[in-house]
Amino acid sequence: MTNNPPIGDDDLHAYVDGRLLPTRRVEVEAWLADHPDDAARVQFYARVSAELHRHFDPVLAEPVPEAMTHPPKTDKAPAWRRGAIAAAWLAVGAVGGWLAHDWYDEGTIARVATAPPLPVQAAIAHAVYSVEKRHPVEVGVDEEAHLMRWLSNRMGREVKAPRLDAQGFRLIGGRLLPAAEGGVACQFMYERGDGQRITLFIKWTNQGPRETSFHFATAQGGVNVFYWRDDRVGYALSAGMPREDLSALARAVYEKISD
């Protein structure tokens, strides 16, 4: 009897990138056949990878910039390094741009060319982490006081995770996340007795006036998002559940945060 290592996230990424040995590839394919959540994640990773290759493979074919082979002696970051940093952020934009093709405007059937950054980021984070079995959160609810202090310190503002026990969802923990525009964001995850998970994504913004109206967005992958901004703080509640159910939860979150 062989004790094969369990299938993990590294295996799924390696499977998408074609880096697995043939025997391990067979094991992963057998796993995916019995685990539809992981199969959906593999499809998601493959689409993101294809989009990044479409955007950046032409850049890889360009000649190496002279500045990279003969960098100037200066305290200022060379242009190629600044360009690399910009390209890294552009990669985030490329993923968001790809997702925008699968998004629909609220209440309509027509496709839209762009999607609001807040729901896109929230949906990506939900799709990636809500399916995790062993590591859905970075810090569990058993260390809630530490979690709140840590996230508040990193985000530069007090963070609260509203309790949704009355709505049937218990807090299981949270994590720190990067924000596409720079800075940091955080995600709190909740779980219902039947395994249904919802996530609350929070990030600060210095743009726009105070606004508390709710907006709705949905992706073809089945992730629905209710999002709003309240005094330069953006909130997005994401879940794979009907719009009406998620709307009631979003209003409960808003009321608890506003208390």
Side-chain angles (χ1 to χ4, degrees):
M1 177 178 179
T2 60
N3 294 320
N4 295 331
I7 305 299
D9 204 49
D10 289 343
D11 293 297
L12 300 185
H13 282 288
Y15 177 80
V16 171
D17 295 338
R19 294 185 289 105
L20 289 178
L21 294 175
T23 53
R24 188 59 170 169
R25 184 178 183 87
V26 170
E27 293 171 358
V28 170
E29 289 176 343
W31 173 272
L32 295 176
D34 294 330
H35 296 81
D37 288 344
D38 283 344
R41 291 175 63 194
V42 163
Q43 293 176 2
F44 172 77
Y45 293 155
R47 291 195 295 269
V48 171
S49 178
E51 186 67 10
L52 290 176
H53 278 294
R54 185 174 70 84
H55 277 272
F56 298 112
D57 281 357
V59 178
L60 296 177
E62 295 178 356
V64 177
E66 184 177 353
M68 293 185 69
T69 56
H70 300 89
K73 295 182 179 180
T74 175
D75 292 335
K76 187 176 181 181
W80 68 265
R81 185 177 300 167
R82 297 196 302 273
I85 295 172
W89 282 110
L90 185 59
V92 176
V95 175
W98 168 77
L99 284 173
H101 289 295
D102 284 346
W103 284 69
Y104 297 91
D105 199 3
E106 62 177 294
T108 71
I109 301 179
R111 287 184 180 269
V112 292
T114 59
L118 177 62
V120 171
Q121 293 174 63
I124 292 174
H126 179 85
V128 170
Y129 295 113
S130 66
V131 297
E132 286 289 336
K133 299 296 189 296
R134 297 183 61 186
H135 305 290
V137 296
E138 195 169 3
V139 179
V141 71
D142 56 325
E143 298 182 86
E144 184 176 0
H146 162 67
L147 174 63
M148 300 308 165
R149 286 195 304 270
W150 172 53
L151 292 179
S152 296
N153 288 336
R154 290 301 309 273
M155 298 185 70
R157 187 165 179 170
E158 183 184 7
V159 173
K160 297 195 304 183
R163 289 293 183 176
L164 299 175
D165 298 81
Q167 286 73 34
F169 286 87
R170 65 178 183 89
L171 177 69
I172 62 174
R175 66 174 62 245
L176 188 71
L177 294 169
E181 301 86 350
V184 295
C186 70
Q187 179 195 67
F188 293 113
M189 188 176 297
Y190 301 79
E191 188 174 69
R192 198 167 57 190
D194 61 359
Q196 173 72 57
R197 287 174 173 175
I198 60 174
T199 56
L200 177 63
F201 182 91
I202 304 174
K203 73 180 186 71
W204 313 138
T205 176
N206 293 322
Q207 300 177 353
R210 176 184 176 92
E211 181 186 0
T212 57
S213 59
F214 286 87
H215 302 276
F216 175 78
T218 185
Q220 285 186 344
V223 179
N224 288 333
V225 184
F226 267 97
Y227 62 101
W228 66 97
R229 188 171 61 241
D230 188 359
D231 194 19
R232 302 186 187 279
V233 183
Y235 301 92
L237 191 69
S238 306
M241 63 170 52
R243 174 173 179 165
E244 296 76 13
D245 297 341
L246 189 60
S247 174
L249 288 170
R251 295 188 181 280
V253 169
Y254 174 76
E255 291 173 359
K256 293 177 182 297
I257 288 177
S258 302
D259 287 342

